[in-house]
Amino acid sequence: MAEPLYQELTDSVWERASRRILLSGPPNSGKTTSLRTFLQPVIVQSYMMEKGISSIQGVAKAFVPRDFDPQEVTNWQNVVNETTKLTSEIISGKHGECKTFAGDGLHKLFEAYLAVATGGASIRGEDFEAKLYMGAANKFFGYINMIYNSKVPIAVFTVWDGLEKDNPEDKDKSASSHVYPELPGKAAKRIMGEFAIALSSKIEGQGKAARYLWQTKPQGRVWGAGMKMPAEVYAAIPDFIAQDYNILAPYLKPQIKKES
């Protein structure tokens, strides 16, 4: 190993962590549209079969998947390889300056990794061994880690949300559950540990009066939201904030050094 395994937790280390952001929420809750508020130039990579691409208009550059029938794909590894290759090119600057990398539709990307692990059985709706989830998840999180450790200033990802049982072993239909990012198996809760900033998207009101908000803390049915930062800073952050990175950013400044 060329570099030491550990490093001091400095302002710069914290700042990078605070600029890796997860946006979860139901369809049409403002997730993709909010990508336009992040630090420009923004480059969006929309993952396979993600359909909400019209709201990407307004960013510096976007890459969207070609239309294809997933049932006809015979080489899912190629799908993953092309996805990873494009991501690597974006965060290394091959496609122009990128101050915000935005990965749109992480739930779709997980489907591709799971399809690789199951030989396409998961896409075809066929049974497969549950243990294959773990292999798919490990490679999926490896992809996220590649971006996390890159030099791109900001990385933000969108993902649908869904209900997760508090106790996965509880088979009762009325078992308590809460809203988390919608990923298979243990990945729904595991992904919460991969981001310092996890926000849940929601809409209040209708029509012109509608307000698009990010929930910053777990409350009510939504547990797929939270921020890892000093308690006194966390307490001062509003429970709900407009879906605008320019409004969120002042709360995310380095908080490592305390004033004497």
Side-chain angles (χ1 to χ4, degrees), residues 71-178:
Q71 299 294 334
E72 296 181 356
V73 176
T74 58
N75 189 344
W76 281 100
Q77 185 61 59
N78 187 55
V79 172
V80 167
N81 291 346
E82 285 199 32
T83 298
T84 304
K85 179 176 181 291
L86 175 58
T87 303
S88 181
E89 290 175 352
I90 294 172
I91 61 180
S92 66
K94 183 175 180 178
H95 294 283
E97 184 181 17
C98 177
K99 290 190 175 179
T100 298
F101 171 85
D104 191 33
L106 273 181
H107 49 289
K108 299 291 188 180
L109 180 61
F110 195 103
E111 288 183 29
Y113 278 100
L114 188 58
V116 172
T118 64
S122 57
I123 295 292
R124 296 190 297 270
E126 300 170 359
D127 292 335
F128 58 88
E129 294 184 71
K131 67 181 182 181
L132 296 178
Y133 277 114
M134 181 60 71
N138 288 340
K139 291 182 179 179
F140 170 78
F141 284 110
Y143 169 87
I144 292 176
N145 199 48
M146 174 187 74
I147 302 166
Y148 185 102
N149 290 328
S150 74
K151 294 182 179 179
V152 67
I154 298 175
V156 55
F157 300 88
T158 72
V159 62
W160 283 359
D161 67 6
L163 287 173
E164 286 288 321
K165 288 184 179 180
D166 297 342
N167 179 3
E169 297 180 359
D170 190 339
K171 304 303 180 182
D172 194 313
K173 292 183 179 180
S174 61
S176 61
S177 60
H178 287 85

